Amino acid sequence: MAAPEDEDFEFNNQDYYSLLNVRKEATLEELKASYRRLCMLYHPDKHRDPELKRQAEQLFNQVHQAYEVLSDAHSRAIYDLFGKKGLEVEGWEIVERKRTPAEIREEYERLQREREERRLQQRTNPKGTISVGVDATDLFDRYDEDFEELPGGGFPHIEINKMHISQSIEAPLTNNDTAMLSGSLSTHNGSGGGNINVTVRRVVSAKGWGEVEFGAGDILGPLIGLKMFRNITPRCFLTAQCGLQFSPRGPRPSCSLMTARHLDQNTMGYLQWRWGPTSAMTTSLVRDTKSSHFTLALQLGVPHSYLMMSYQYKFQDEDQTKVKGSLKTGWFGTVVEYGAERKISRHSVLSATVSMGVPQGVTLKIRLARASQTYLFPIHLTDQLLPSAVFYATVGPLVVYMAIHRLIIVPYTQAQKEQELELQRKSSATDIAKKKQEAESAVLLMQESVRRIVEAEESKMGLIILNAWYGKFVSDTSQKQEKARVIDVTVPLQCLVKDSKLILTEASKVGLPGFYDPCVGEDKSLKLLYQFRGVMHQVISADNEPLRIPKQSHRIESES
């Protein structure tokens, strides 16, 4: 099965709004007030102890960074849409600052594409194909009288009768120029050859490119070719190609011209003309949607003319399963193909196709695509159209796949998932330990301020936080078991009390100074026991629920 892409909690993507304890709609004045208060609390110059001074400097820089982002309208809009990752994308400094959220999103996607393009330019982008042809006709076309005369004739003879290997790499020369080197080796029934090609492509503009190709081989001889691509309109493009092959029989020129047009959002129409050793005129219609792929093609040419129709259905499942079928008929005969394709791992796709026709016979084609490498195994079963060959070509791959899937693929993917989960747990444990240390440092820095706040609140019988716990509470358990899932946040909350009021926004409390997440990925809540006007009250609040205490009902109760 395909390994799903996990969307993990990002510890480093701290919530700036929660850190400053302001609403997402906070005004500049509200941001300034919160920023000044936290700066007074964490200013490094207020601490003489070197360790406390270092911790205060770290927290002070975090608060300053949050304020710088949220106080700038442009940076704030980017942060609201994409978080801290959006701010890390290169190129924002040259973007016009007066933009709507939709325009910012579009610009972000453009910058992301450019960054991916730069990454691709640093790679050689290797691609390869290995094809191994197997002749297994003795399984079905054997003659008993012939086998009786040969030693070991009771066993069918299966052999590899052809092979093909090709490889290509790309190397960016400049921003507009790319060189490609490719080569291939082929052998069939004991004889074969190879060739090597060098191609240089130049992107002329956003609408087109051109390339020149040089090749050499031990069979066909040197090759010179030119190719051009051009967008004629936003819905139509043109490709032209010409070449000259220097074969032992003399120069062999060739030329082709193809034009394509978007007929609608999911449909393309193609028209191609080829002149050379295999001259032909081909027209095709291709419709590709989320759930299906349909192709209809007609070719008139020498030596082959044909009509082809294929259909592929795409299942909307995790493994991206596809089933396909096609019919092709022409001067060479008629061929019917059907098969299936499935993703077996994150980077691997396996497919099997049964091809049967007259006079071609029956062939089973196995294809494995792994990243940029492709492995092909065409197995020719019979030169005749035999029902037994069709049956085994259909049932055999299914049985083998189910056995391999159950015995190899499933255990392998499960082991991979467990390994990834273990790495994630270790990473999470490290991040939690780091956040815990930062929270404990913040609490130490708050002690002196909390002492002054408590003295001021006691003098006027104001708001005093007696106990506060944050995390996942477990019902019907002892207090000790409950505390194992929560953290003590009495000091951080008392530090946020101002004028006998504690106001928390709807943002997650995990971003508040002195807080950390004791149970990642689980629902959390906040439980407070506080005293106001000499009366004790208890409040329980959900993590993303805004909180304002003392509540109005508690004020009335205390005054009465």
Side-chain angles (χ1 to χ4, degrees), residues 187-199:
T187 177
H188 189 195
N189 291 330
S191 61
N195 66 284
I196 186 170
N197 295 71
V198 177
T199 305

Side-chain angles (χ1 to χ4, degrees), residues 380-397:
H380 188 54
L381 300 177
T382 174
D383 293 326
Q384 308 174 55
L385 195 57
L386 299 178
S388 59
V390 175
F391 173 80
Y392 285 109
T394 304
V395 177

Side-chain angles (χ1 to χ4, degrees), residues 35-49:
Y35 173 63
R36 287 170 182 167
R37 187 164 183 233
L38 291 173
C39 282
M40 292 177 62
L41 178 63
Y42 297 132
H43 202 287
D45 294 343
K46 294 181 63 177
H47 305 278
R48 295 182 179 180
D49 183 89

Side-chain angles (χ1 to χ4, degrees), residues 7-55:
E7 297 181 358
D8 302 322
F9 180 83
E10 296 182 7
F11 291 90
N12 294 327
N13 196 8
Q14 191 173 31
D15 187 351
Y16 287 158
Y17 291 101
S18 181
L19 178 62
L20 299 179
N21 191 29
V22 294
R23 301 173 297 116
K24 287 197 173 183
E25 301 81 15
T27 62
L28 186 58
E29 288 72 20
E30 292 174 329
L31 289 170
K32 285 182 179 179
S34 178
Y35 173 63
R36 287 170 182 167
R37 187 164 183 233
L38 291 173
C39 282
M40 292 177 62
L41 178 63
Y42 297 132
H43 202 287
D45 294 343
K46 294 181 63 177
H47 305 278
R48 295 182 179 180
D49 183 89
E51 182 62 23
L52 289 178
K53 192 178 184 71
R54 184 189 64 80
Q55 295 168 354

Side-chain angles (χ1 to χ4, degrees), residues 526-557:
L526 178 67
K527 181 184 289 188
L528 292 94
L529 179 64
Y530 68 91
Q531 181 178 302
F532 180 69
R533 301 289 170 86
V535 181
M536 288 192 298
H537 305 278
Q538 182 173 295
V539 174
I540 298 178
S541 172
D543 189 27
N544 294 97
E545 180 183 354
L547 178 65
R548 184 186 181 100
I549 60 172
K551 292 189 175 182
Q552 188 65 26
S553 60
H554 295 170
R555 283 178 173 273
I556 296 173
E557 181 182 341

Side-chain angles (χ1 to χ4, degrees), residues 124-131 164-170 180-186 194-199 370-375:
T124 57
N125 193 23
K127 297 179 182 178
T129 300
I130 297 178
S131 178
H164 174 80
I165 299 175
S166 63
Q167 187 74 29
S168 67
I169 57 173
E170 296 181 2
M180 290 164 281
L181 177 66
S182 61
S184 65
L185 293 171
S186 300
N195 66 284
I196 186 170
N197 295 71
V198 177
T199 305
R370 171 73 177 173
S372 59
Q373 302 294 317
T374 303
Y375 306 91

Side-chain angles (χ1 to χ4, degrees), residues 4 53 99 142 198 203 277 332 344 424 463 467 496 526 535:
K53 192 178 184 71
R99 294 226 171 181
R142 53 187 298 184
V198 177
V203 179
F332 55 83
I344 58 175
Q424 291 171 10
L463 177 61
N467 279 304
L496 294 174
L526 178 67
V535 181

